[in-house]
Structure formats: structure tokens, C-alpha cells
């Protein structure tokens, strides 16, 4: 088992558990109704009942995780011999290495989404608090872009860093 295999699975599971726990605490702290859209003044001008926010976010995160795991299971069924033809640039790394790296890379995606949504929900809670609504959370979308860029760059960097495959005689 590689460190990528271990890290991707552990981070995905821990992020799902952390998201569930943080969603329960955030739900408890949200006012009813909850501001979900904010005007230029920083005050809320679009509201939803906090139950709808809770179920909407829980449904979205569940759907994303189920879809991501379904995609991973479908890709895992692709025969190992085909991976060198899908990614000919990395064919010298070996089909098994390409497949395992790709599967691990896909496991990082729901982990990143879960982690990012924890930050988004925390910001929503803080924006709905009268004491902290003036705090600037404009860095959160940029942080999401950075998370996605790191995730996208990870696969080719990891494959280029992998040693060449040598058959045992």
C-alpha cells in the first residue's frame, strides 16, 4: 500500500466525518431564517429556513460523494492492460502504476470538496452572526480554486515522479 492510497482514503473518510459533525454544529448556530445571499453592504438580502440549508447541503455533499465513488468503482473495472493506451505519455511507468495513481487521485477529489464545504459552511455561519458578519471571507472562493488546481496538477506530477516500470525476469 502506497502513501497515496492511505492518505487519499483516510482524508476522504475523515473529511466526511468532519463535515457531518461540523454541519450539525453549524446548523445549531444558524439563525432562522438564514441569510444565503448578501448585498453590497454585507447584509443578507436572500434568506432560507435553516432546515432547508441543512438538508440542501447534506443532500449535495451526499450526492457528490456517491457520484465520485461510483465513478471510481467504474474506472477501477477498466482492465489494467488498457491504461498504457489511455495515457501513452506515461506508458513507461507501467499500467498498474498508472491505474493506482489515477484511482488515488480520484479519491482525493471528494476529500477536497468535503474540506472546502466545511470552510464554506463555517463562513456562512460567521456571516449570519451579528458579531462577525463584517469579516471578509473573499479568500474562500480563491482557496477553492487553489484546492482544485493542486488536485489537477497532482496527477501528472505524481506520474512523472513515479519510477519507470521494469519487468522482472
Amino acid at each position: 500500500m502506497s502513501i497515496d492510497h492511505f492518505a487519499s482514503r483516510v482524508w476522504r473518510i475523515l473529511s466526511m466525518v468532519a463535515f457531518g459533525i461540523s454541519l450539525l454544529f453549524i446548523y445549531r448556530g444558524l439563525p432562522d431564517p438564514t441569510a444565503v445571499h448578501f448585498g453590497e453592504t454585507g447584509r443578507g438580502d436572500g434568506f432560507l429556513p435553516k432546515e432547508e440549508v441543512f438538508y440542501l447541503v447534506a443532500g449535495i455533499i451526499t450526492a457528490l460523494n456517491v457520484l465520485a465513488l461510483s465513478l471510481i468503482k467504474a474506472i477501477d473495472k477498466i482492465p489494467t492492460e488498457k491504461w498504457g493506451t489511455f495515457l501513452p505519455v506515461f506508458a513507461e511507468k507501467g499500467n498498474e502504476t498508472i491505474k493506482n495513481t489515477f484511482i488515488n487521485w480520484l479519491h482525493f477529489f471528494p476529500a477536497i470538496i468535503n474540506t472546502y464545504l466545511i470552510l464554506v459552511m463555517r463562513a456562512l455561519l460567521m456571516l449570519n452572526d451579528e458579531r462577525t458578519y463584517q469579516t471578509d471571507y473573499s479568500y474562500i472562493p480563491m482557496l477553492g480554486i487553489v484546492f482544485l488546481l493542486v488536485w489537477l496538477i497532482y496527477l501528472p506530477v505524481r506520474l512523472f515522479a513515479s519510477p519507470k516500470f521494469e519487468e522482472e525476469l
Side-chain angles (χ1 to χ4, degrees):
M1 175 186 343
S2 70
I3 189 69
D4 295 339
H5 179 88
F6 178 76
S8 64
R9 279 27 170 227
V10 168
W11 185 15
R12 182 176 51 82
I13 291 168
L14 287 178
S15 69
M16 287 189 322
V17 170
F19 183 80
I21 292 170
S22 66
L23 186 60
L24 292 174
F25 281 105
I26 288 168
Y27 172 77
R28 189 179 62 83
L30 287 174
D32 197 13
T34 300
V36 293
H37 187 268
F38 300 89
E40 292 180 17
T41 62
R43 291 289 193 185
D45 61 3
F47 296 89
L48 282 175
K50 74 179 190 176
E51 293 84 15
E52 285 184 28
V53 172
F54 175 80
Y55 290 121
L56 185 66
V57 171
I60 288 171
I61 200 69
T62 301
L64 282 173
N65 279 286
V66 167
L67 288 174
L69 289 177
S70 298
L71 174 68
I72 291 167
K73 294 291 182 191
I75 288 176
D76 197 25
K77 292 179 182 175
I78 296 173
T80 306
E81 301 81 37
K82 302 283 185 189
W83 284 92
T85 59
F86 291 151
L87 301 167
V89 174
F90 303 111
E92 74 221 16
K93 305 297 182 176
N95 293 334
E96 191 69 34
T97 301
I98 295 171
K99 181 178 181 177
N100 290 338
T101 304
F102 194 79
I103 299 280
N104 293 336
W105 177 69
L106 286 175
H107 272 283
F108 279 118
F109 184 67
I112 288 171
I113 297 297
N114 295 341
T115 305
Y116 180 68
L117 284 178
I118 290 171
L119 297 173
V120 169
M121 291 304 296
R122 180 73 180 152
L124 182 65
L125 175 66
M126 300 309 270
L127 286 169
N128 277 282
D129 190 349
E130 286 295 320
R131 297 167 290 177
T132 58
Y133 81 92
Q134 295 211 6
T135 307
D136 182 25
Y137 293 102
S138 61
Y139 66 91
I140 289 186
M142 193 59 96
L143 192 60
I145 292 169
V146 168
F147 281 174
L148 284 176
L149 286 176
V150 168
W151 178 73
L152 287 172
I153 292 169
Y154 171 80
L155 180 66
V157 167
R158 186 69 177 105
L159 283 173
F160 277 124
S162 297
K164 289 185 180 183
F165 177 72
E166 296 177 14
E167 287 188 44
E168 294 180 17
L169 300 175

